[in-house]
């Protein structure tokens, strides 16, 4: 079983900025869009968090039985279940104020399930100076993936970004 939580923020490459680039923040601590062309402002992502949580279960069991000497049956069963929840927020505070922006968010949920069954029968016998082995088996496997993504746009208050119903 594995549980993972990621909280990420994209940090832009500042090495290519001119040495006289406008400051990133205003004196009030807000993003400084002044002096930047809207399409060239590289710092909006500093206030646009991405969160991901995942839970993964991977299991396997093998059962076997010797019917008579040299004759075995066995079956391997495997199951995997992975669930991933993602949240991306673009708050109003990260957008250029003169455009009268509204916030947006993206909610994604994915479930991945896989099962596999592998029954086998094996017969092994000594014949003279050699050994005879016969093995037969099959594999049956199924994969199921479900995903949902919900986009919320038009938020007028950053406090509402985590609720798609308030978009």
């Amino acid at each position: 079983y594995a549980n993972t939580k990621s909280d990420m923020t994209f940090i832009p490459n500042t090495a290519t900025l001119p040495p006289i680039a406008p400051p990133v923040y205003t004196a009030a601590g807000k993003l400084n869009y002044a002096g930047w062309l809207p399409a060239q402002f590289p710092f909006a992502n500093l206030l646009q968090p991405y969160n991901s949580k995942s839970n993964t279960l991977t299991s396997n069991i093998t059962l076997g039985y010797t019917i008579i000497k040299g004759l075995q049956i066995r079956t391997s069963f495997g199951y995997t279940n992975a669930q991933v929840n993602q949240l991306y927020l673009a708050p109003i505070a990260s957008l250029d104020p003169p455009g009268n922006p509204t916030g947006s968010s993206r909610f994604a949920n994915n479930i991945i399930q896989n099962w596999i069954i592998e029954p086998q029968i094996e017969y092994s016998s000594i014949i003279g100076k050699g050994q005879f082995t016969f093995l037969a088996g099959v594999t049956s496997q199924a994969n199921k993936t479900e995903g949902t993504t919900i986009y919320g746009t038009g938020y007028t208050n950053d406090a509402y970004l985590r609720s798609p119903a308030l978009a």
Side-chain angles (χ1 to χ4, degrees):
Y1 178 79
N3 177 289
T4 305
K5 181 180 178 186
S6 300
D7 295 317
M8 295 181 254
T9 300
F10 173 74
I11 298 176
N13 179 4
T14 58
T16 59
L17 294 177
I20 57 169
V24 177
Y25 294 100
T26 65
K30 295 185 178 189
L31 289 177
N32 180 25
Y33 280 87
W36 296 91
L37 295 174
Q40 292 179 336
F41 186 72
F43 301 105
N45 287 331
L46 292 173
L47 298 180
Q48 297 175 348
Y50 168 82
N51 306 101
S52 175
K53 294 178 185 176
S54 66
N55 295 298
T56 304
L57 171 69
T58 302
S59 60
N60 183 283
I61 188 169
T62 301
L63 303 171
Y65 183 73
T66 301
I67 297 172
I68 58 172
K69 183 180 176 183
L71 181 62
Q72 266 192 343
I73 60 170
R74 63 181 165 266
T75 301
S76 175
F77 301 94
Y79 178 73
T80 301
N81 182 310
Q83 298 179 4
V84 181
N85 298 314
Q86 301 170 329
L87 174 63
Y88 170 77
L89 303 176
I92 298 167
S94 72
L95 305 171
D96 193 4
N100 197 20
T102 58
S104 63
S105 54
R106 181 178 71 226
F107 307 84
N109 299 301
N110 298 295
I111 298 173
I112 302 161
Q113 295 176 321
N114 175 302
W115 62 261
I116 187 168
I117 300 174
E118 298 181 306
Q120 297 177 342
I121 187 167
E122 181 177 353
Y123 177 74
S124 185
S125 175
I126 303 291
I127 300 177
K129 292 184 180 184
Q131 181 171 341
F132 171 79
T133 301
F134 173 80
L135 174 66
V138 297
T139 298
S140 179
Q141 182 173 355
N143 298 297
K144 179 181 177 183
T145 302
E146 295 179 356
T148 303
T149 301
I150 298 172
Y151 294 94
T153 60
Y155 291 99
T156 56
N157 186 324
D158 287 345
Y160 302 150
L161 287 174
R162 295 181 183 273
S163 175
L166 297 174

